[in-house]
Amino acid sequence: MATHVFNNMRLWRGSTDLAGKTNQLKLGLTTELLPDTGLDNTGWRAFLPGLNLINLDHQGRLDLGAGSVEAALWAEHGLADQPITLSAAAAVGSRAYLLRGVPSDLEIGGEVGELHSFTVMAKGSGKFARGVLLEPGATARTATFNGTATQHIAVPAGQSLYAALHVLAASGTVPTLDVVVQSDDAVGMASPTSRITFTQATATGYQWSSSAGPITDDWFRVAVTIGGTAPSFLFVVSIGIAR
């Protein structure tokens, strides 16, 4: 397969799209090593895997004012369990990584005459999942629809399917958004099964949910119901299986 160029990446945190202002990004997964060296290890150290730790480090250019990245970074700093989705592209079926995190470090500044910049570090809280995008937030949705089915992998027993919902924008008179993650054993989704049902959304916000395996289906999509007068929602849905 072709090597992937680190370009056109997407980053959503909570209810904010950070990709347009982020120009450096690093996601790290670390496993603690617990010493297990005994007297009989013949001169070699031995270790056992301990707890896992997720680190997210991203940097970019700052804008100011209402609805800006600066306002979002300030408002969301230190909040627990914010869903975070990283994706290789803004398209259904694109590789995605999703987690819940706590923004732990925020730095704002720069050199005189240079672009105002920010650096954010976040720590993962709980599971880290690898999966795909089901709704890429590429266009505002104004009517009920079924998303495009995409193939992932079945969920083994003892593991779970995780899903993140990022509602980036909402407008209209009493707008409502109902999102369900469905699965089937074939691309045609002839007999879909509802796996995750998010709480109805009426404004910007975010949600995280899961469904325990085993799930033998390997095709997934979103089923979306939109209500209200002149409603419009811009949102992202990602799914994944924890390692």
Side-chain angles (χ1 to χ4, degrees), residues 144-178:
T144 295
F145 71 98
N146 289 327
T148 302
T150 187
Q151 192 173 29
H152 187 30
I153 58 175
V155 182
Q159 297 189 29
S160 294
L161 177 72
Y162 292 87
L165 169 65
H166 308 268
V167 183
L168 310 175
S171 63
T173 302
V174 195
T176 59
L177 173 68
D178 292 275

Side-chain angles (χ1 to χ4, degrees), residues 72-115:
L73 294 176
W74 183 266
E76 296 176 353
H77 184 71
L79 297 183
D81 295 337
Q82 292 181 63
I84 300 171
T85 298
L86 292 82
S87 178
V92 174
S94 297
R95 170 65 60 224
Y97 303 94
L98 53 153
L99 62 142
R100 289 185 296 176
V102 180
S104 56
D105 297 90
L106 172 62
E107 297 179 358
I108 295 174
E111 294 185 17
V112 61
E114 300 295 330
L115 294 176

Side-chain angles (χ1 to χ4, degrees), residues 19-92:
K21 296 297 182 181
T22 299
N23 55 21
Q24 294 187 51
L25 176 66
K26 181 170 65 174
L27 178 67
L29 176 60
T30 303
T31 300
E32 295 178 349
L33 296 180
L34 306 179
D36 189 39
T37 307
L39 292 175
D40 59 349
N41 278 78
T42 62
W44 295 94
R45 292 191 179 277
F47 297 90
L48 290 175
L51 299 177
N52 296 312
L53 175 65
I54 310 162
N55 291 290
L56 175 64
D57 182 357
H58 58 99
Q59 305 173 33
R61 305 172 309 278
L62 207 63
D63 58 351
L64 302 174
S68 65
V69 168
E70 184 270 343
L73 294 176
W74 183 266
E76 296 176 353
H77 184 71
L79 297 183
D81 295 337
Q82 292 181 63
I84 300 171
T85 298
L86 292 82
S87 178
V92 174

